[in-house]
Amino acid sequence: MKKMISAAQQGDSDALEQIVMKNIGLVYAGIKRFYQCGQSHEDLYQIGCIGLIKAVKRFDLSLEVQFSTYAVTMILGEIRQFLRDNSMVKMSRNWKIIAYKATRFQEECHQKTGNKLTVSELASKLNVSSEELVMAMDAYQCPKSLDVLSEYDRLHAEYLSQNELIDRIDLREAIGKLDKTEQKIILLRYFRYQSQKDTSDILKCSQAHVSRQEKKILRKLKEFL
């Protein structure tokens, strides 16, 4: 197999075709997970094949890893990226709500029992399929460094409309794209209500630096949102 992969990586189209045909079962197995995501099976199959071809071209022959293991990861990753890029707005918004509620349920269960719910248990609580839950969590994973935002949302969620909740999730995602220092500045200035002077003392930098960074960060967030 490695000789054939090496040949395919060097431009041998016949070798590439043989590898794809030999491993096409991985594509069929992979797309079964996404049959409930609103895309045609034919589209999923084509995207899965693209993932398989990428796996052949990118596989590192020097590693002691089974090609099939690597290929499955590439196939699933390609399909997930396709679904993220091509989901309808309504589906995207529903996934945000599903991911947010799943996170809350998981946190509440862990606090009460010290255990975590399984994917099937979470899906049952949310009245969605396991596949939908996995896709939602994969697409809208909340940044771990912003616990204060999660806590604020959790305390006020029952009073928020769906659109307000989506706005908060969008903001959390946007802040998650900032680097760690930028996140600290936003956290201190807008969620702990520290002055620029106090923020500069905490971060051990000048107040002028905080002011400049804050303006730059707010421009970034505006672009992200």
Side-chain angles (χ1 to χ4, degrees):
M1 173 64 80
K2 286 192 174 183
K3 288 183 179 180
M4 194 176 293
I5 293 174
S6 178
Q9 290 177 345
Q10 293 175 34
D12 187 330
S13 58
D14 289 336
L16 176 61
E17 183 176 354
Q18 289 182 53
I19 296 169
V20 169
M21 295 307 298
K22 186 174 182 179
N23 291 277
I24 201 68
L26 300 177
V27 175
Y28 286 115
I31 65 177
K32 284 181 180 180
R33 304 186 185 190
F34 305 99
Y35 279 172
Q36 305 300 319
C37 294
Q39 298 291 337
S40 73
H41 295 178
E42 182 179 350
D43 287 345
L44 293 175
Y45 172 78
Q46 291 178 357
I47 299 302
C49 287
I50 291 173
L52 178 55
I53 292 171
K54 285 185 177 181
V56 175
K57 293 182 176 180
R58 298 179 184 179
F59 184 63
D60 189 341
L61 294 166
S62 67
L63 299 178
E64 294 297 323
V65 178
Q66 289 288 334
F67 171 72
S68 58
T69 302
Y70 180 74
V72 167
T73 301
M74 290 295 292
I75 291 166
L76 295 180
E78 196 70 21
I79 294 172
R80 285 171 178 148
Q81 185 62 51
F82 169 77
L83 292 174
R84 282 196 291 267
D85 291 344
N86 293 276
S87 294
M88 299 297 288
V89 172
K90 183 174 183 297
M91 176 67 78
S92 176
R93 289 188 165 218
N94 284 343
W95 279 1
K96 287 185 180 184
I97 296 300
I98 290 170
Y100 178 77
K101 289 183 176 179
T103 301
R104 285 180 57 208
F105 278 136
Q106 195 67 278
E107 289 174 350
E108 290 170 3
C109 179
H110 185 68
Q111 289 174 357
K112 291 178 180 178
T113 67
N115 298 318
K116 290 187 176 182
L117 298 171
T118 65
V119 170
S120 59
E121 288 171 338
L122 274 173
S124 177
K125 277 182 170 291
L126 295 167
N127 197 29
V128 298
S129 69
S130 296
E131 290 80 4
E132 287 176 305
L133 176 58
V134 170
M135 285 301 301
M137 295 300 292
D138 181 64
Y140 295 102
Q141 189 65 37
C142 299
K144 298 298 183 183
S145 59
L146 297 173
D147 293 337
V148 65
L149 289 179
S150 298
E151 179 66 19
Y152 182 85
D153 288 344
R154 183 163 57 249
L155 292 172
H156 295 80
E158 60 185 299
Y159 303 108
L160 298 176
S161 69
Q162 178 162 309
N163 285 336
E164 288 172 327
L165 182 53
I166 289 169
D167 287 342
R168 292 193 184 282
I169 297 171
D170 285 339
L171 176 60
R172 179 154 62 255
E173 290 174 355
I175 294 176
K177 296 176 183 178
L178 302 174
D179 64 37
K180 290 184 178 180
T181 300
E182 291 172 334
Q183 287 183 6
K184 286 180 181 178
I185 290 174
I186 289 298
L187 184 65
L188 290 169
R189 291 283 291 122
Y190 294 93
F191 295 94
R192 294 184 181 169
Y193 308 105
Q194 299 291 329
S195 67
Q196 286 187 351
K197 178 64 170 62
D198 290 338
T199 300
S200 67
D201 290 342
I202 293 170
L203 297 179
K204 301 186 186 317
C205 61
S206 69
Q207 184 175 341
H209 177 74
V210 170
S211 178
R212 289 193 299 270
Q213 288 299 305
E214 185 177 339
K215 290 177 182 178
K216 184 180 76 173
I217 295 166
L218 292 177
R219 284 197 298 269
K220 277 188 179 182
L221 290 176
K222 186 176 180 181
E223 292 174 2
F224 293 152
L225 294 169

